[in-house]
Amino acid sequence: MTARLAKLAAAGHLAPLARQIGSLGGCARPIRMTGHRTRLDPATGQILDHLDTRHLPAGELLVRCGNRRTTRCPACSNVYRYDTYQLIAAGLRGGKTVPTSVSTHPRVFATLTAPGFGPVHNQPGAAPCTCGTRHADDAPLLGTPLNPQRYDYTGAVLWNAHAPALWARFTTHLRREIANAAGLTQRTLRHHATLSYAKVAEYQKRGQIHFHTVIRIDGPTGPTSTPPAWATTALLDHAVRAAAQRTRVQHQHRAGAREAEPAQSPTPTPTPTVFRFGQQIDVRAIRSTDFTGDSPVTDRHVAAYIAKYATKGAETTTGTLDRRLRFLAELAQHDLTDHARQMIHTAWHLGAKPQHTHLRLRQWAHMLGFRGHFSTRTRHYSTTLTHLRAERTTWRTRQDKATAASTLTDPALVGKSANQELTGEGLPVTDRHSDRNDRADLTAGHRVGHHAKDGRSGSADTTLVISHWQYAGTGLLPELAHLADLLATTPRLRPEQPRRPRQARRSGHRAGHSTGPLTTAVQTGAIA
């Protein structure tokens, strides 16, 4: 591999190739595309920009995979986590198209947990576990049943499968409780207030889903309007607790499906027909001092805490898989805990029964039955991930234009770019700019006329995009993967940053830069 890279360097192709791979930002499994793209001015027909993958250093367009899972792609999951942080924080303190007045609206941070399906090894505060042992934080026994033979695996898997329906029913009951507390009907509530929320699903060590959510009451038109006087944090706290207690979901069997005969199982377990949340419901007011003693719960605490779990699935907490199973025999290839293996087996066998086919348990056996979205929000809560990504692309494009302009005007660098093919905007096709523009085209689809930012604030031009892309594969080729490894191990020089004052660097500052107290408080009350 090193000899091949040496030949590329001798031919002058290594630097452009390194720039294209560097544009991936460390993505572990990029998507390879072949094809071409042409941008035209629809008024004049002038070709603004043309790109053909044959002219790229790698011969293919490399696009980040964008996977949110840390176990699949750490680099892309970090970007997803940062975007989630900005999305949650914007709904708490404003910014990113959200007015700053939302920081004065009633809002709470709530955690909804699953009920118990049998005693498990845990950390009940300062007391030892039921087994008599004080488990460490990284103890492999945490979350596993004390008696696996008597643990209700059927109920645990089916509860995960009905968790999305439970959340949807909870939001309906929450609006009803708020309307009832305000003396209104659910129909007239929309004329007085709007309920906005963002939630993320997290796996407990025992393999059960529970939800962390930020809930806010806005005015009738959303975050830009003032909530009514009766909308208080105390009212929202009471409504969340009451709605969680009332929420029930009935297990609906398909028409004509019959329950399995008891004789088919040596120790038959009755299938639960009604699902609800657990008794451990935690609701805390944001920016109050009742959560961690003297330290307030700030918007930074909550946003960082929710964003942390946006990139984690069952594979990081319970020790299960991060991809679907085609055959149950594939489990023999993976090193799983006995508890996770039994949960997957239960989901696989339940998926074969007629009364559970609509739950698609075999397709979601690797997720222990959960088949919902990990991160959701209402329309009025804050901005969108698409908007954040578009802003980042626009900013990077502006930076690349400035860099290319300085390169073309620098006499020492003009000769180096003379042999490179330039785009309609004066940028080399081997630069990162072309890759970013094409990623925007791929996410926007093959639209004939769409509005694209031209880099100037507040302006938009209609551009005709004619493109044809074909999937070539996933992951880097061996030579490129070796080059990516070399680039990852090469230390990068960073400009010296000014030192901050000593008081601002303290982790326990009241501004809320540390998520430690919040994480400890929630996890202690959430583990069953």
Side-chain angles (χ1 to χ4, degrees):
M1 294 295 179
T2 305
R4 294 179 183 179
L5 294 179
K7 293 181 179 179
L8 290 175
H13 300 312
L14 186 59
L17 195 60
R19 283 199 300 270
Q20 186 179 4
I21 295 178
S23 68
L24 297 174
C27 178
R29 292 178 57 83
I31 301 172
R32 308 196 312 272
M33 308 288 290
T34 59
H36 58 83
R37 180 224 60 208
T38 305
R39 301 176 188 269
L40 302 95
D41 188 339
T44 62
Q46 178 186 2
I47 297 178
L48 303 177
D49 179 57
H50 177 74
L51 174 73
D52 195 315
T53 55
R54 293 175 298 179
H55 299 150
L56 293 177
E60 297 172 326
L61 178 66
L62 304 179
V63 184
R64 297 187 186 97
C65 65
N67 200 306
R68 68 165 188 86
R69 297 177 181 272
T70 306
T71 56
R72 299 296 294 271
C73 183
C76 291
S77 67
N78 275 337
V79 176
Y80 188 90
R81 178 165 55 89
Y82 297 150
D83 286 345
T84 302
Y85 173 86
Q86 296 295 336
L87 188 148
I88 299 298
L92 294 173
R93 64 190 181 197
K96 308 292 183 182
T97 71
V98 181
T100 56
S101 58
V102 296
S103 60
T104 62
H105 294 189
R107 64 260 176 89
V108 297
F109 176 69
T111 300
L112 307 177
T113 63
F117 299 96
V120 298
H121 294 274
N122 59 4
Q123 297 170 304
C129 177
T130 308
C131 66
T133 305
R134 295 181 183 272
H135 298 293
D137 293 339
D138 57 349
L141 283 178
L142 282 178
T144 60
L146 293 174
N147 188 350
Q149 286 72 26
R150 302 189 63 179
Y151 192 80
D152 186 10
Y153 282 100
T154 299
V157 170
L158 290 179
W159 193 95
N160 281 346
H162 288 82
L166 270 172
W167 172 258
R169 190 70 56 86
F170 164 76
T171 58
T172 300
H173 284 300
L174 181 57
R175 291 183 175 90
R176 292 175 181 174
E177 292 293 337
I178 294 176
N180 184 45
L184 304 170
T185 63
Q186 190 175 359
R187 184 182 297 272
T188 58
L189 177 63
R190 68 184 69 175
H191 303 298
H192 299 268
T194 302
L195 183 67
S196 302
Y197 63 81
K199 66 93 174 167
V200 66
E202 178 201 355
Y203 277 93
Q204 295 173 309
K205 288 185 177 296
R206 56 177 175 147
Q208 299 305 131
I209 282 288
H210 67 290
F211 298 109
H212 299 295
T213 176
V214 175
I215 305 175
R216 191 185 69 217
I217 297 181
D218 300 324
T221 59
T224 58
S225 56
T226 305
W230 51 260
T232 62
T233 303
L235 179 143
L236 186 56
D237 184 298
H238 172 76
V240 170
R241 296 179 186 275
Q245 292 292 340
R246 290 185 54 187
T247 301
R248 299 288 189 275
V249 169
Q250 188 80 16
H251 178 46
Q252 300 292 339
H253 296 173
R254 279 196 166 185
R258 296 184 304 169
E259 292 288 347
E261 296 295 335
Q264 294 180 358
S265 177
T267 56
T269 302
T271 301
T273 58
V274 178
F275 301 92
R276 59 174 179 81
F277 285 112
Q279 297 298 322
Q280 293 181 343
I281 300 172
D282 189 81
V283 184
R284 304 295 173 126
I286 300 176
R287 284 203 178 275
S288 66
T289 58
D290 62 343
F291 199 92
T292 55
D294 296 334
S295 179
V297 181
T298 65
D299 47 19
R300 293 187 178 183
H301 277 102
V302 175
Y305 187 74
I306 291 181
K308 179 177 65 173
Y309 291 106
T311 59
K312 294 183 178 180
E315 67 278 1
T316 58
T317 306
T318 312
T320 181
L321 305 176
D322 60 357
R323 63 199 69 199
R324 289 184 176 180
L325 289 172
R326 293 177 299 175
F327 307 99
L328 190 60
E330 296 179 17
L331 288 180
Q333 311 173 28
H334 303 280
D335 184 17
L336 305 177
T337 63
D338 294 337
H339 179 59
R341 192 179 301 273
Q342 184 60 40
M343 291 279 285
I344 295 176
H345 271 272
T346 303
W348 189 271
H349 293 304
L350 287 176
K353 295 184 178 181
Q355 62 269 27
H356 303 312
T357 53
H358 62 291
L359 298 177
R360 302 176 61 196
L361 292 176
R362 286 198 168 184
Q363 288 84 341
W364 299 102
H366 67 294
M367 302 295 291
L368 310 183
F370 180 70
R371 52 197 180 96
H373 293 285
F374 269 86
S375 179
T376 59
R377 62 166 190 86
T378 56
R379 180 179 302 176
H380 295 293
Y381 176 78
S382 69
T383 184
T384 63
L385 293 176
T386 301
H387 177 77
L388 293 175
R389 292 161 182 163
E391 278 191 337
R392 182 166 56 248
T393 300
T394 302
W395 184 86
R396 286 176 173 174
T397 301
R398 193 179 297 124
Q399 297 295 317
D400 287 338
K401 287 182 178 179
T403 303
S406 62
T407 300
L408 295 177
T409 56
D410 191 346
L413 299 177
V414 170
K416 295 183 180 181
S417 60
N419 297 328
Q420 294 181 350
E421 181 182 351
L422 300 180
T423 65
E425 298 174 345
L427 295 176
V429 297
T430 59
D431 205 353
R432 293 180 293 177
H433 173 76
S434 60
D435 186 29
R436 291 186 182 124
N437 280 348
D438 285 294
R439 285 200 297 270
D441 291 344
L442 290 172
T443 56
H446 301 286
R447 292 184 290 178
V448 177
H450 70 279
H451 294 278
K453 296 274 185 174
D454 63 357
R456 292 173 297 180
S457 176
S459 63
D461 295 332
T462 302
T463 305
L464 181 64
V465 179
I466 301 176
S467 59
H468 174 75
W469 301 107
Q470 186 174 359
Y471 173 76
T474 302
L476 293 173
L477 298 178
E479 295 86 351
L480 301 183
H482 184 60
L483 178 58
D485 293 338
L486 293 177
L487 294 175
T489 57
T490 302
R492 298 182 180 180
L493 297 179
R494 297 184 178 181
E496 185 177 356
Q497 299 293 332
R499 295 178 60 86
R500 293 181 295 173
R502 180 180 300 273
Q503 184 177 4
R505 298 200 307 267
R506 293 176 58 188
S507 60
H509 194 264
R510 294 181 65 87
H513 293 276
S514 173
T515 59
L518 180 64
T519 304
T520 303
V522 173
Q523 286 184 344
T524 301
I527 294 179

